[in-house]
Amino acid sequence: MKKRIVITGLGVAAPNGVGIPAFTKALKYGVSGIRHNSLLEELQFSCQISGEPEISEELKSHYFTELELRGFNSSGILYGVIAGMEAWNNAGLPINENPDWDSGAIFGSGTSGIDKFRESIYKIDDLQTRRLGSTVVAQTMNSGISAYLGGKIGLGNQVTTNSSACTTGTEAILMAYDRIQSGQAKRILAGSTSDSGPYIWAGFDALRVCPSKYNENPSQGSRPMSASAAGFVPGSGAGALVVEDLESALERGALIYAEILGGNVNSGGQRNGGSMTAPNSTAVQHCIKNAITNSGINSNDINAINGHLTATTKDSLEIENWTKALQRKDTNFPYINSLKSLTGHCLSASGSIESVASVLQLHESFLFGNINCADLHPEIALLIDHSKVPLETINTNLNIIAKASFGFGDVNACVIFKKFEN
């Protein structure tokens, strides 16, 4: 018999809100975290706007010691530790003096410490590489984020970092779910993080998948599902969730935000239309269908979808895939929204930040609006009714949300969240 697995802690460092209270308020009031980026302008990027969490020195000192901050220059680890520690504290869990064998971390990342590595190399020449310094390894190894969190909390179960492009965060949650389901852990701190900066975003700007005509109006730049969408706004941040066995959560009297019913991860193998940058639609539909089957529900039970929806030409194809996978369209289609209208595309952090937003919507009974989508793309309008793409926040009692992420390399992940009922 399947275990019931729930979410007992949330944490976030998002472009439009650092910390759950600020992030929740931003969701409800449609506050954008996309701002003009003077460095991107200086470097003559075509897209000169971005979504980055605003982290004060005071907040840094709350999570890192003075010694740790000396020579510290890894934005991904910074965001991940802030989000991860908030989720752990939010779950009412202690910092352990000895390893907690029942608790672990699966915390994903796309890259780690790019700016730190560049800074270190810039200061030396090839004949002086031994002078890189003692902090470079921990800040630049891809598993740096899970290692930092494991050490700060005292985690004794699996502590690892996954990496699957834009599906990373959603995949981490499902990996945590599977580990608990198999009885190998009671709780896992799951999430993902993404570095900020031009060394992360330059390739996307060169691919011309980022908008260039909203540099003077940053909050209007990210336009998922819109006829005037011009590409995704680069973003960064981190999201974190404490995924826990229901029995353990009830035993310690934890606040339960939502339940994870199940999900699915797959790949299109870069076949049948799929490529490094394009999805195999058959695989996307399989992923959604298998997530629903694995969760023990049917497609009509889904009240809302939090899509991947990046504000590129693939948005209409994603909606088409949802209609085919669910066998629902027009007015029978669920509500759908995209957090990227408020944050930009946070890359490897997108799935976890968007999952935090999905769980908050279930827990607090609202559906945030899709800003910048008054001009719904005509191809999407042929598939689903305008009313299913709310422009402003709706107060509504949602029961089940499907959250999906689709990433470079033709990889897919879909998780099904449900409002908790004991």
Side-chain angles (χ1 to χ4, degrees):
M1 184 175 178
K2 285 179 67 174
K3 295 176 185 285
R4 292 184 68 185
I5 295 173
V6 296
I7 295 161
T8 56
L10 297 172
V12 71
N16 64 338
V18 177
I20 292 300
F23 184 59
T24 305
K25 184 177 180 181
L27 293 179
K28 289 182 175 180
Y29 290 95
V31 177
S32 173
I34 298 171
R35 294 171 282 271
H36 178 257
N37 189 312
S38 57
L39 180 57
L40 298 186
E41 180 182 11
E42 181 185 332
L43 294 172
Q44 299 183 337
F45 274 50
S46 58
C47 176
Q48 299 169 7
I49 59 177
S50 64
E52 295 182 65
E54 296 184 315
I55 310 292
S56 68
E57 292 302 316
E58 181 183 359
L59 186 60
K60 287 182 188 179
S61 66
H62 186 69
Y63 292 102
F64 293 87
T65 66
E66 187 176 331
L67 182 61
E68 285 175 322
L69 288 171
R70 195 176 301 165
F72 187 86
N73 188 23
S74 176
S75 55
I77 290 175
L78 174 68
Y79 304 148
V81 167
I82 289 172
M85 294 300 291
E86 182 189 23
W88 194 257
N89 294 331
N90 183 249
L93 291 162
I95 303 302
N96 304 294
E97 288 188 18
N98 296 303
D100 177 357
W101 310 118
D102 294 322
S103 302
I106 300 175
F107 216 96
S109 176
T111 57
S112 185
I114 292 295
D115 280 342
K116 178 62 180 177
F117 205 63
R118 184 260 176 194
E119 171 198 273
S120 300
I121 292 173
Y122 183 73
K123 289 179 178 177
I124 65 174
D125 61 40
D126 290 342
L127 298 177
Q128 297 175 303
T129 50
R130 285 175 60 88
R131 293 175 55 197
L132 279 170
S134 61
T135 64
V136 172
V137 174
Q139 291 186 56
T140 59
M141 64 185 190
N142 204 46
S143 59
I145 178 54
S146 58
Y148 264 87
L149 287 167
K152 285 184 174 293
I153 297 169
L155 301 174
N157 205 278
Q158 181 181 19
V159 173
T160 191
T161 293
N162 65 305
S163 188
S164 298
C166 307
T167 68
T168 298
T170 309
E171 179 186 73
I173 294 165
L174 288 170
M175 289 173 71
Y177 173 90
D178 287 342
R179 186 161 182 84
I180 298 168
Q181 194 66 252
S182 70
Q184 297 184 78
K186 286 186 178 180
R187 68 193 63 82
I188 297 287
L189 177 58
S192 62
T193 189
S194 180
D195 282 319
S196 290
Y199 291 93
I200 303 297
W201 302 332
F204 298 110
D205 199 64
L207 282 169
R208 300 188 182 279
V209 294
C210 300
S212 58
K213 56 185 178 181
Y214 296 97
N215 291 338
E216 304 303 318
N217 300 289
S219 64
Q220 297 177 27
S222 186
R223 312 179 67 82
M225 296 183 284
S226 164
S228 50
F232 75 77
V233 175
S236 57
L241 306 89
V242 174
V243 181
E244 187 165 3
D245 180 277
L246 175 61
E247 185 178 345
S248 168
L250 293 176
E251 188 177 282
R252 63 185 191 84
L255 170 65
I256 296 174
Y257 287 95
E259 184 170 359
I260 301 175
L261 295 183
N264 187 240
V265 177
N266 78 0
S267 170
Q270 299 179 42
R271 302 291 190 273
N272 304 321
S275 68
M276 183 61 74
T277 58
N280 173 340
S281 289
T282 301
V284 169
Q285 293 168 37
H286 269 292
C287 183
I288 296 166
K289 290 176 183 177
N290 289 339
I292 291 168
T293 300
N294 178 263
S295 299
I297 61 171
N298 66 62
S299 64
N300 289 321
D301 295 324
I302 295 172
N303 307 121
I305 297 165
N306 183 250
H308 189 59
L309 298 167
T310 57
T312 63
T313 56
K314 299 299 180 184
D315 283 6
S316 56
L317 178 59
E318 180 177 335
I319 299 295
E320 181 182 351
N321 285 329
W322 279 106
T323 62
K324 289 180 177 178
L326 301 180
Q327 290 294 292
R328 297 173 63 181
K329 61 181 199 176
D330 301 323
T331 56
N332 187 40
F333 195 75
Y335 287 116
I336 188 163
N337 58 12
S338 172
L339 184 64
K340 293 177 181 72
S341 63
L342 298 173
T343 62
H345 189 349
C346 296
L347 304 175
S348 56
S350 60
S352 58
I353 296 174
E354 292 163 13
S355 290
V356 170
S358 298
V359 170
L360 285 170
Q361 289 178 108
L362 284 173
H363 184 65
E364 301 210 6
S365 300
F366 74 97
L367 188 79
F368 68 81
N370 299 279
I371 67 170
N372 304 325
C373 194
D375 58 335
L376 186 65
H377 195 287
E379 291 179 11
I380 295 175
L382 289 173
L383 295 167
I384 64 175
D385 192 80
H386 283 71
S387 65
K388 299 302 178 177
V389 187
L391 305 181
E392 297 179 342
T393 295
I394 298 171
N395 293 317
T396 181
N397 189 27
L398 301 167
N399 189 45
I400 293 178
I401 291 181
K403 164 70 210 142
S405 300
F406 311 116
F408 271 24
D410 198 11
V411 290
N412 312 302
C414 181
V415 59
I416 308 294
F417 297 115
K418 184 180 185 295
K419 195 178 189 75
F420 177 70
E421 296 173 2
N422 189 10

